[in-house]
Amino acid sequence: EAQVTQNPRYLITVTGKKLTVTCSQNMNHEYMSWYRQDPGLGLRQIYYSMNVEVTDKGDVPEGYKVSRKEKRNFPLILESPSPNQTSLYFCASSFNTNNYGYTFGSGTRLTVV
Amino acid sequence: KQEVTQIPAALSVPEGENLVLNCSFTDSAIYNLQWFRQDPGKGLTSLLLIQSSQREQTSGRLNASLDKSSGRSTLYIAASQPGDSATYLCAALGGKLIFGQGTELSVKP
């Protein structure tokens, strides 16, 4: 089944403890992206990657890192999480940025205390 | 800067009604427009993708239209069912995906 898989689905952590949210797609998509969703603010792009070893900042990149060493994987790294990073996170992928639809993962609900 | 607006923010209808959800965007230079469904606390499920050269797309009871010149898209749901209750998001793609705030739909039995 074609899908984007995120792990974990739920995560509670403490301020300052480094964490990684994994994202993997099995559709050979070149483009991958991370979003966060917050009440009243909607979905906002954190980082995106046009292809392997190519990443760039989205609208809200502060406090996050990403890497794209393989085409299928695009992990989101929070080096020192803070409570304002408590949110619902989504990974998405597409063949390219403009001509194809996006497939989203099931989401990771992160709580930082 | 692209802005996407969805009206209404919330909608409650009795089962069986036909309904229309609206999406407007400020920059008509989009490549496509995608409609998603989101159940509470869950992921986004793609419903329909309309390419910029298309006027509409249909899938089952759903029909989405796109009018680039006026900056509008509509999602038509025929014969609504309680299982259609969810938040519906539209997203305009013109270099990156820009989402509206969504319409929360409740279909009452």
Side-chain angles (χ1 to χ4, degrees), chain B residues 14 16 27-28 36 39 41-43 45 78 94-95 98 106 108:
Chain B
D27 185 352
S28 62
F36 295 88
D39 294 288
K42 299 294 178 74
T45 301
I98 304 294
S106 176
K108 304 296 186 183

Side-chain angles (χ1 to χ4, degrees), chain A residues 32-100:
Chain A
M32 298 185 75
S33 181
W34 277 102
Y35 294 82
R36 62 178 289 174
Q37 185 178 36
D38 301 288
L41 297 175
L43 280 144
R44 296 176 292 169
Q45 190 182 54
I46 303 171
Y47 267 95
Y48 64 94
S49 170
M50 305 282 279
N51 212 327
V52 176
E53 301 293 358
V54 180
T55 63
D56 211 343
K57 297 177 180 179
D59 297 317
V60 288
E62 295 76 22
Y64 305 94
K65 287 176 58 178
V66 293
S67 69
R68 187 91 181 274
K69 297 177 182 176
E70 306 166 281
K71 197 171 189 178
R72 63 184 294 127
N73 295 324
F74 190 45
L76 179 69
I77 303 157
L78 285 72
E79 294 270 3
S80 183
S82 62
N84 65 12
Q85 294 178 297
T86 292
S87 186
L88 181 58
Y89 291 86
F90 291 104
C91 180
S93 72
S94 179
F95 277 111
N96 60 36
T97 56
N98 291 328
N99 297 322
Y100 297 89

Side-chain angles (χ1 to χ4, degrees), chain A residues 9 31 35 37 40-43 45 59 88 90 97-102 104-106 109, chain B residues 31-32 34 36 38 41-44 46 49 51 89 93-101:
Chain A
R9 290 293 311 277
Y31 182 87
Y35 294 82
Q37 185 178 36
L41 297 175
L43 280 144
Q45 190 182 54
D59 297 317
L88 181 58
F90 291 104
T97 56
N98 291 328
N99 297 322
Y100 297 89
Y102 283 55
F104 278 75
S106 298
R109 183 166 294 282
Chain B
Y31 290 95
N32 59 46
Q34 195 167 0
F36 295 88
Q38 185 178 26
K42 299 294 178 74
L44 279 70
S46 180
L49 171 69
Q51 302 279 2
L89 295 155
L93 182 58
K96 66 178 182 178
L97 207 57
I98 304 294
F99 283 88
Q101 293 280 348

Side-chain angles (χ1 to χ4, degrees), chain B residues 11-34:
Chain B
L11 181 63
S12 182
V13 300
E15 181 177 7
E17 274 206 4
N18 302 323
L19 57 100
V20 175
L21 306 182
N22 296 295
C23 172
S24 62
F25 45 95
T26 54
D27 185 352
S28 62
I30 64 170
Y31 290 95
N32 59 46
L33 189 133
Q34 195 167 0

Side-chain angles (χ1 to χ4, degrees), chain B residues 23-100:
Chain B
C23 172
S24 62
F25 45 95
T26 54
D27 185 352
S28 62
I30 64 170
Y31 290 95
N32 59 46
L33 189 133
Q34 195 167 0
W35 282 92
F36 295 88
R37 167 186 172 139
Q38 185 178 26
D39 294 288
K42 299 294 178 74
L44 279 70
T45 301
S46 180
L47 298 174
L48 289 164
L49 171 69
I50 313 176
Q51 302 279 2
S52 62
S53 58
Q54 298 173 321
R55 298 281 295 184
E56 64 180 75
Q57 280 286 330
T58 298
S59 175
R61 294 183 294 109
L62 305 180
N63 176 276
S65 68
L66 175 63
D67 184 344
K68 283 183 60 178
S69 61
S70 67
R72 295 186 180 186
S73 177
T74 60
L75 180 66
Y76 174 82
I77 303 177
S80 59
Q81 303 170 357
D84 294 330
S85 298
T87 296
Y88 291 81
L89 295 155
C90 70
L93 182 58
K96 66 178 182 178
L97 207 57
I98 304 294
F99 283 88

